[in-house]
Amino acid sequence: MTQHNTNGSAKDVVDILTTDHQEMMALAGQIKGSNDPQWRRDTTDTLIAEVMRHAVAEEMYSYPAIEKYIPNGTEEVEHDKQEHDEIVQV
């Protein structure tokens, strides 16, 4: 999976997923910092949708490679899946 960023250079799946992580963490911080219940609910729904989209991308592209090429890859994948579940629960 390759996308191009605004300056035309290619971004690989690791770049995309890393950016996703950063954006999701920033969104979570905004939710924590807001006192507007409706905005928090709407933004939380957006965050959950992004986590799910992100998790699907990891399951399709990253996890198979991690399990195949990284020592203890299966354990790493399981840990990552647990983290995603924790984010959705929070």
Side-chain angles (χ1 to χ4, degrees):
M1 178 174 176
T2 302
Q3 291 183 349
H4 294 276
N5 60 22
T6 56
N7 67 10
S9 64
K11 291 177 67 177
D12 66 23
V13 71
V14 173
D15 293 332
I16 294 164
L17 294 174
T18 299
T19 299
D20 278 356
H21 279 213
Q22 293 166 344
E23 290 173 354
M24 287 185 291
M25 294 305 295
L27 200 53
Q30 292 173 15
I31 292 166
K32 286 177 70 174
S34 174
N35 293 324
D36 180 341
Q38 185 60 50
W39 184 88
R40 285 173 59 108
R41 178 73 257 163
D42 293 344
T43 306
T44 298
D45 289 343
T46 298
L47 178 58
I48 291 169
E50 287 301 306
V51 168
M52 300 311 292
R53 179 197 55 78
H54 174 86
V56 168
E58 285 188 328
E59 287 183 26
M60 291 175 61
Y61 298 102
S62 298
Y63 294 164
I66 291 169
E67 288 178 330
K68 185 173 182 178
Y69 297 109
I70 303 295
N72 300 317
T74 300
E75 292 83 7
E76 293 293 328
V77 166
E78 287 306 313
H79 176 74
D80 199 54
K81 287 180 181 181
Q82 288 175 349
E83 286 183 344
H84 288 165
D85 290 343
E86 289 172 15
I87 290 170
V88 171
Q89 291 302 317
V90 169

